Amino acid sequence: SQKSCIMYFKSPRAIIPEYPKLLICNEEVQIVEKVRFLGVIIDSTLSWNDQIEAVSFKLSSSIGCLRSFRKCLPKSFYKSVYCAFIQSHIMYGLSVWGSGGSSSKLINIFRAQKSALRTIFNLQRTKLHQAHTKHIFTELNLLSVHNLYYKICIKYGHKLIIS
């Protein structure tokens, strides 16, 4: 199978005109709307919806794993387990896809973060609402997906200014 493809970047409403076919070694290069590059899904409108959905799916799978072995974990491992199973997925490529057009797109990832903390700490929900996680974020020095994105932007901005 051919690894090369063409993607035309455009605004969400734009229609791509008919371009001439590109041939490499007498094989036509396929035009695509999205592609996975180094584990990050890039779409032609740079909306990052598919990437955010993929990260949300990975987090859901990780939360399922956390449920299966949370009872065997000592409390001293909770933060390490969270960082390994949840935060690592969020951090990968966050500087690229974290803007996502608006912070509302990241809400599902934030909900998954909270769900993971509830799972690890075995926080019970009541009939009316779920248990709060803000104190856990604070106690463990963890950042929400939004704050992780801001931190990365500030860090890269600082590097640019310094160099």
Side-chain angles (χ1 to χ4, degrees), residues 4 11 24 32 39 44 64 66 77 82 92 102 108 131 134 143:
S4 299
S11 67
I24 298 178
V32 296
S44 61
L66 292 174
F77 285 17
Y82 172 84
Y92 185 75
S102 71
N108 288 338
K134 186 173 183 174
L143 297 174

Side-chain angles (χ1 to χ4, degrees), residues 98-152:
S99 63
S102 71
S103 64
S104 64
K105 290 184 180 181
L106 298 178
I107 197 71
N108 288 338
I109 293 176
F110 180 57
R111 286 180 181 142
Q113 279 185 293
K114 295 192 308 182
S115 176
L117 290 174
R118 287 186 191 105
T119 299
I120 293 169
F121 285 88
N122 200 22
L123 298 177
Q124 302 298 317
R125 47 169 87 173
T126 64
K127 288 184 179 181
L128 299 177
H129 56 81
Q130 295 187 351
H132 293 288
T133 56
K134 186 173 183 174
H135 69 283
I136 296 173
F137 276 104
T138 305
E139 286 172 23
L140 296 180
N141 274 339
L142 298 173
L143 297 174
S144 70
V145 63
H146 301 93
N147 291 332
L148 286 169
Y149 175 69
Y150 300 144
K151 179 184 174 184
I152 289 171

Side-chain angles (χ1 to χ4, degrees), residues 77-94:
F77 285 17
Y78 285 2
K79 183 175 181 177
S80 297
V81 167
Y82 172 84
C83 289
F85 280 82
I86 304 299
Q87 191 162 315
S88 61
H89 290 302
I90 295 170
M91 292 296 292
Y92 185 75
L94 183 61

Side-chain angles (χ1 to χ4, degrees), residues 1-10 29-52 54 58 92 96-97:
S1 73
Q2 192 178 35
K3 291 185 178 184
S4 299
C5 60
I6 299 171
M7 180 183 300
Y8 295 106
F9 293 100
K10 60 185 176 75
V29 180
Q30 182 183 12
I31 298 173
V32 296
E33 290 290 316
K34 63 182 173 182
V35 65
R36 182 180 292 271
F37 182 70
L38 298 175
V40 177
I41 302 170
I42 304 169
D43 63 87
S44 61
T45 60
L46 297 177
S47 70
W48 305 106
N49 292 336
D50 293 311
Q51 173 63 21
I52 292 168
K58 285 180 188 176
Y92 185 75
V96 176
W97 58 264

